Amino acid sequence: MTLPTFEDVLLAKQRIAPYLLRTPLHRYAPLDALIGAEVFIKHENYQPIGAFKVRGGINLVSQLPPNERQRGLISASTGNHGQSIAYAGRMFGVPVTIVVPETANPGKVAAMRGMGADVILHGENFEFSRRYAEQLAEERSARFVHAGNEPHLIAGVGTVSLEILETVPDLDVLIVPVGGGSGASGACLTAKAKNPATRVIGVQAEAAPAAYLSWKNKRIETAPIQTFAEGLQTGEGFSMPQAIIQRDLDEFVLVSDDAMKQAMVWMIEHAHTLAEAAGAAPLAAAYQMRERLAGQKVALVCTGANTSLAHLKLALDSAG
């Protein structure tokens, strides 16, 4: 297993620059007051697919050799990773099949199909979808794209943190949501190279803690998936991101579904922005840790905006 490096992140920055604009990094006075810190929101929810994963998709698909482009790509996703591969596949003329859980967000499914991907609904959660996607890829001799164990995906999403630290080089804390861990591992590669004093903190749903348990116990762990946060519905730790975050991640926290729902509402109320549960998880974590973060410069990666109307209503109805 060859791990990506910070040099790969720098190359990814050059590779995706012709296709994606730099996303904003904004401060909002109400969020500063809520956390008691200088809070920066990285608006990856402004990406063309509404999520940060598109960086990794473009970085990976743009480098495929001709034989893999002809064979096509098969992957599994709860939505945003699948959209990133579908988007990049359309951009570079590569056939894409995405396997999603039967309960997948209808908006994300429609978006993938709208980008030309063949979307197959299979299984009750991501782990069932992933196993079926691997089986299909073997049967069709297609290139399987794992949602986390891909160096080009990690390097691509590492450019999120690179943009943050280029803007705020003296950042104290960077908080990143963790599903499989590609974003957090990319953040670790970047932060440790750009400013080792910046603490990188991962945040995951306490109702789907597989990556957290893998990081804590230093071995790949499985855990039930009981969270409503689609982007955090991972039932098993991913080996490549884990190899990086076990080495470099400074801290890992868990947040409740109720805390993420409240954070979704705060993002609308205080930052005038839409965040899906995973994208709001860093704010939930920052609020949970606010006494420790007081007076510091803190960046929160809003990884995506692709919530469903049902989840948005759930958040609005449950918020205090």
Side-chain angles (χ1 to χ4, degrees), residues 74-79 82 96-114 117-133 136 140 230:
I74 296 180
S75 192
S77 174
T78 57
V96 170
T97 297
I98 305 295
V99 183
V100 302
E102 294 166 1
T103 57
N105 180 324
K108 293 179 180 180
V109 171
M112 285 183 274
R113 285 179 171 152
D118 178 22
V119 181
I120 299 172
L121 276 68
H122 180 91
E124 63 186 61
N125 59 43
F126 172 78
E127 296 305 324
F128 287 92
S129 300
R130 178 179 60 82
R131 288 194 287 270
Y132 185 61
L136 278 182
R140 299 180 183 179
E230 296 156 359

Side-chain angles (χ1 to χ4, degrees), residues 246-260:
Q246 288 179 19
R247 181 189 69 197
D248 293 335
L249 190 70
D250 293 292
E251 189 171 351
F252 207 144
V253 298
L254 298 175
V255 294
S256 68
D257 277 20
D258 285 344
M260 285 186 282

Side-chain angles (χ1 to χ4, degrees), residues 18-32:
Y19 308 104
L20 297 175
L21 298 175
R22 189 182 185 99
T23 56
L25 183 70
H26 290 324
R27 280 182 64 191
Y28 302 93
L31 289 182
D32 284 0

Side-chain angles (χ1 to χ4, degrees), residues 227-248:
T227 180
F228 87 114
E230 296 156 359
L232 306 182
Q233 289 178 352
T234 307
E236 183 177 57
F238 293 169
S239 58
M240 184 172 290
Q242 282 292 327
I244 297 169
I245 67 174
Q246 288 179 19
R247 181 189 69 197
D248 293 335

Side-chain angles (χ1 to χ4, degrees), residues 175-247:
I175 305 182
V176 186
V178 180
S182 62
S185 53
C188 286
L189 291 176
T190 302
K192 298 312 170 188
K194 291 288 289 182
N195 182 3
T198 300
R199 290 177 56 78
V200 181
I201 299 175
V203 52
Q204 187 168 53
E206 64 182 24
Y212 167 80
L213 293 173
S214 299
W215 174 82
K216 180 181 178 181
N217 297 328
K218 298 190 181 304
R219 62 175 183 266
I220 299 300
E221 298 277 10
T222 61
I225 301 173
Q226 298 173 325
T227 180
F228 87 114
E230 296 156 359
L232 306 182
Q233 289 178 352
T234 307
E236 183 177 57
F238 293 169
S239 58
M240 184 172 290
Q242 282 292 327
I244 297 169
I245 67 174
Q246 288 179 19
R247 181 189 69 197

Side-chain angles (χ1 to χ4, degrees), residues 27 35 37-41 171-175 282 286 293-300:
R27 280 182 64 191
I35 306 302
E38 295 182 34
V39 179
F40 299 83
I41 302 294
L171 188 71
D172 295 303
V173 176
L174 175 59
I175 305 182
L293 299 178
Q296 299 185 59
K297 292 183 178 181
V298 181
L300 313 178

Side-chain angles (χ1 to χ4, degrees), residues 29 47 79 146 181 210 275 295 312:
Q47 290 285 9
H146 193 282
L312 180 59

